[in-house]
């Protein structure tokens, strides 16, 4: 049977009524609300739904390991999607007819995932799709799918450049799209998570030329705010602290919000003593200049891979003193709310004592921030009694697997005996993020619980180790 790829299916109501409403930004709008005013499909006519069209991308990966994570855009009567092999396609949203495709990996094998693209247009009718694949960010004509050669170098820019390190030694890409402010494309990146990871600087590119207009250095160099929260040479060696999950924008106030990930290496920070700003911070920047307006660190000196996993959601509260807020969901299953302009917490956040690490050379923050409310939306502690089994043999298997691992709080530091995390690094809120209904004032979160057994072991960093051997060693605890 021929490979047909994964399938995109659009379902519509059989009613004759028609509504037009674009979805021009990843997650619906620049506030990252995931909200639509469309009402044609509703709870009263679900039984009337029918398949309108089916589109086959035609490029499934071998071994049934394909995935489409793209949140499609619909704008100007076009739908823009990406395929399992990271091909960019434009479709007619009414019929599913393919209008054009752009394949950045023609003649080679694609790797990674893509969760969406960025649409931009100016008053003269210049319409562009900004699309990341591999280490490259492309500018594509939204009408015909052709590269815009005046952007960057022959239509693309190298995301590895401009990070104060040798580009050829870095691994940098973008799973989530950037966000547009006027004629700026503000872009975060995804990185490796080992000791040699690239730094996660956030950059603003000129939408016409691709030139870098500003850079926010998430690992501060000497003289910049936050430098003293690291070792003195961390700005030259440390990596991570990147905005891989996407961004949010308050266009009226000119503020862009960054949800930053953990410093690398994810689970050991003996080489990066200190609180490690701006790791695990929500940061508000002046969108025009990249200057920091405010920040709040939600995990100090992260040892658990507790990246901020989704763009902050801009919400309006029924609160006369601070109605404009930004809501950040986390992997730990907590929701933090801040005033959009000042960064002041809407509800108190208390610094609570947490256990210290037993690993040699490790630094542990003595406290971690916990919001007084709202309450966590997932469990944050697991005990041996929670380790259910469906049979005697499965119980023995679980007991052997867990061994002497500790079951503690979300901030129990990793050690060589092992800890069991819940909700885990794939738990809490994932990259899908929260959605906000401005009509009801309700915030919706897909809550996940995926317990993780985490063990540490010492590895050799001796010169001469082969890359493959090194990669195996840092990921194998057997």
């Amino acid at each position: 049977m021929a490979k047909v790829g994964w399938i995109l299916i659009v379902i519509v109501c059989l009613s004759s009524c028609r509504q037009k409403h674009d979805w021009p930004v990843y997650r619906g709008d620049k506030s990252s609300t995931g909200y639509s005013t469309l009402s044609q499909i509703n709870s009263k006519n679900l039984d009337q739904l029918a398949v309108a069209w089916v589109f086959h991308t035609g490029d499934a990966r071998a071994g049934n390991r394909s995935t489409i994570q793209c949140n499609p855009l619909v704008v100007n009567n076009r739908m823009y999607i990406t395929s399992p092999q990271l091909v960019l396609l434009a479709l007619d949203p009414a019929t599913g007819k393919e209008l054009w495709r752009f394949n950045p990996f023609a003649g080679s094998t694609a790797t990674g995932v893509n969760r969406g693209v960025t649409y931009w247009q100016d008053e003269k009718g210049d319409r562009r799709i900004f699309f990341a694949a591999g280490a490259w960010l492309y500018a594509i004509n939204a009408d015909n799918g052709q590269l815009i050669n005046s952007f960057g170098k022959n239509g693309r820019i190298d995301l590895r450049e401009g990070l104060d390190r040798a580009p050829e030694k870095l691994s940098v890409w973008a799973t989530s799209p950037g966000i547009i402010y006027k004629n700026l494309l503000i872009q975060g990146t995804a990185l490796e998570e080992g000791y040699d990871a690239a730094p996660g600087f956030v950059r603003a590119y000129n939408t016409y030329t691709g030139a870098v207009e500003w850079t926010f250095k998430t690992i501060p160099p000497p003289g910049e705010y936050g430098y003293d929260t690291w070792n003195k040479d961390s700005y030259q060696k440390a990596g991570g602290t990147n905005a891989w999950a996407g961004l949010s924008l308050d266009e009226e106030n000119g503020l862009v919000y960054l949800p930053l990930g953990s410093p690398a290496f994810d689970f050991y920070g003996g080489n990066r003593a200190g609180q490690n700003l701006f790791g695990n911070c929500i940061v508000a920047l002046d969108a025009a200049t990249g200057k920091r307006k405010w920040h709040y660190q939600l995990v100090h000196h992260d040892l658990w891979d507790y990246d901020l996993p989704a763009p902050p959601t801009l919400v309006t509260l029924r609160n006369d003193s601070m109605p404009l807020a930004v809501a950040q969901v986390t992997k730990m299953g907590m929701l933090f709310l801040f005033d959009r302009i000042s960064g002041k917490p809407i509800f108190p956040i208390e610094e609570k004592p947490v256990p210290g690490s037993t690993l040699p050379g490790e630094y542990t923050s003595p406290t971690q921030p916990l919001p007084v409310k709202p309450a966590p939306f997932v469990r944050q502690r697991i005990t041996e009694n929670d380790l259910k089994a469906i049979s005697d043999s499965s119980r023995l298997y679980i007991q052997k697997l867990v061994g002497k691992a500790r079951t503690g709080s979300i901030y129990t530091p990793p050690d060589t005996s092992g800890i069991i995390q819940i909700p885990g690094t794939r738990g809490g809120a994932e990259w899908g993020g929260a959605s906000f209904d401005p009509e009801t004032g309700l915030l919706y979160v897909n809550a996940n619980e995926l317990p993780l057994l985490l063990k540490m072991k010492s590895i050799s960093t001796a010169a001469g180790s082969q890359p493959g051997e090194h990669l195996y060693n840092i990921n194998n605890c057997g």
Side-chain angles (χ1 to χ4, degrees):
M1 179 179 291
K3 254 193 333 184
V4 296
W6 277 43
I7 299 170
L8 177 71
I9 301 177
V10 176
I11 300 178
V12 298
C13 178
L14 289 178
S15 166
S16 61
C17 65
R18 289 185 177 273
Q19 287 179 280
K20 278 194 173 182
H21 187 82
D22 283 352
W23 191 268
V25 182
Y26 178 64
R27 303 205 72 252
D29 54 40
K30 294 180 181 180
S31 296
S32 194
T33 64
Y35 177 77
S36 173
T37 58
L38 292 177
S39 58
Q40 183 182 0
I41 298 174
N42 55 62
S43 60
K44 296 180 180 180
N45 61 20
L46 286 174
D47 60 343
Q48 302 175 45
L49 295 183
V51 175
W53 53 259
V54 177
F55 177 76
H56 296 263
T57 64
D59 62 348
R61 287 191 168 96
N64 193 31
R65 297 188 62 81
S66 293
T67 178
I68 294 180
Q69 298 186 9
C70 177
N71 180 201
L73 301 190
V74 179
V75 58
N76 291 337
N77 295 315
R78 302 239 170 147
M79 174 180 282
Y80 300 99
I81 66 169
T82 54
S83 76
Q85 297 279 6
L86 304 192
V87 175
L88 173 64
L89 300 112
L91 309 178
D92 181 335
T95 66
K97 177 184 176 182
E98 181 178 323
L99 303 175
W100 55 255
R101 66 172 54 204
F102 173 78
N103 185 359
F105 294 102
S108 61
T109 302
T111 59
V113 298
N114 177 278
R115 293 176 181 146
V117 298
T118 308
Y119 177 84
W120 168 86
Q121 68 178 32
D122 67 9
E123 64 280 358
K124 297 180 180 179
D126 187 349
R127 292 185 285 269
R128 302 184 179 189
I129 297 293
F130 296 104
F131 163 56
W136 303 96
L137 180 68
Y138 297 85
I140 308 296
N141 185 304
D143 296 326
N144 59 30
Q146 299 298 308
L147 272 172
I148 297 175
N149 289 319
S150 59
F151 180 85
K153 297 177 182 177
N154 300 318
R156 66 181 191 176
I157 54 178
D158 190 338
L159 294 171
R160 299 169 297 180
E161 295 181 348
L163 299 177
D164 297 343
R165 314 275 172 91
E168 66 277 6
K169 295 182 179 180
L170 302 178
S171 182
V172 182
W173 64 100
T175 52
S176 300
I179 203 161
I180 297 292
Y181 178 71
K182 297 182 178 180
N183 292 331
L184 296 176
L185 168 66
I186 306 173
Q187 182 70 54
T189 54
L191 314 166
E192 292 183 342
E193 299 181 347
Y195 291 108
D196 54 355
F201 297 173
V202 176
R203 289 160 288 180
Y205 298 95
N206 185 292
T207 52
Y208 289 103
T209 67
V212 176
E213 299 290 350
W214 57 255
T215 299
F216 178 72
K217 297 187 177 182
T218 58
I219 302 176
E224 291 195 8
Y225 185 94
Y227 168 72
D228 59 354
T229 66
W230 298 76
N231 291 341
K232 65 179 182 178
D233 61 350
S234 290
Y235 75 101
Q236 297 175 315
K237 299 178 180 179
T241 65
N242 52 312
W244 60 265
L247 311 171
S248 302
L249 179 73
D250 182 335
E251 205 150 25
E252 183 176 349
N253 291 297
L255 294 174
V256 62
Y257 300 92
L258 321 179
L260 295 178
S262 59
F265 174 60
D266 284 346
F267 302 105
Y268 179 78
N271 60 329
R272 50 175 173 87
Q275 302 293 71
N276 300 154
L277 294 181
F278 292 94
N280 308 84
C281 286
I282 178 172
V283 181
L285 304 179
D286 183 319
T289 65
K291 300 298 183 183
R292 181 183 60 89
K293 290 296 186 179
W294 60 264
H295 76 277
Y296 205 101
Q297 189 173 50
L298 305 188
V299 183
H300 308 314
H301 189 79
D302 189 3
L303 304 175
W304 307 272
D305 190 27
Y306 286 156
D307 298 340
L308 302 193
T313 303
L314 307 189
V315 301
T316 302
L317 303 178
R318 296 166 184 169
N319 181 327
D320 292 337
S321 61
M322 291 187 290
L324 300 181
V326 55
Q328 180 67 63
V329 291
T330 69
K331 289 183 178 181
M332 303 87 75
M334 295 183 289
L335 171 66
F336 291 85
L337 286 160
F338 303 93
D339 178 85
R340 279 192 225 171
I341 309 302
S342 68
K344 180 180 178 181
I346 301 296
F347 301 115
I349 299 174
E350 297 180 345
E351 291 286 338
K352 295 286 191 178
V354 294
S357 175
T358 60
L359 295 180
E362 181 61 280
Y363 163 89
T364 313
S365 175
T367 64
Q368 293 291 348
L370 297 172
V372 171
K373 58 181 180 180
F377 54 85
V378 293
R379 289 179 294 172
Q380 293 184 312
R381 184 177 292 271
I382 193 170
T383 69
E384 187 174 347
N385 292 333
D386 296 315
L387 303 177
K388 306 296 184 183
I390 59 175
S391 67
D392 290 341
S393 59
S394 66
R395 179 175 296 280
L396 290 173
Y397 172 80
I398 292 172
Q399 289 175 343
K400 182 178 179 181
L401 181 69
V402 170
K404 297 180 180 180
R406 291 185 292 165
T407 56
S409 74
I410 54 173
Y411 293 120
T412 300
D415 62 21
T416 54
S417 297
I419 63 169
I420 300 177
Q421 286 181 316
I422 191 170
T425 61
R426 292 293 183 268
E430 261 285 2
W431 54 264
S435 296
F436 177 67
D437 183 343
E439 300 295 326
T440 63
L442 293 176
L443 187 81
Y444 296 86
V445 185
N446 182 24
N448 303 278
E449 292 184 350
L450 190 64
L452 175 71
L453 175 60
L454 175 62
K455 287 185 179 182
M456 303 294 286
K457 76 170 186 177
S458 176
I459 62 170
S460 172
T461 58
S465 297
Q466 295 299 310
E469 179 185 8
H470 179 69
L471 182 65
Y472 175 82
N473 283 335
I474 66 173
N475 287 283
N476 174 53
C477 286

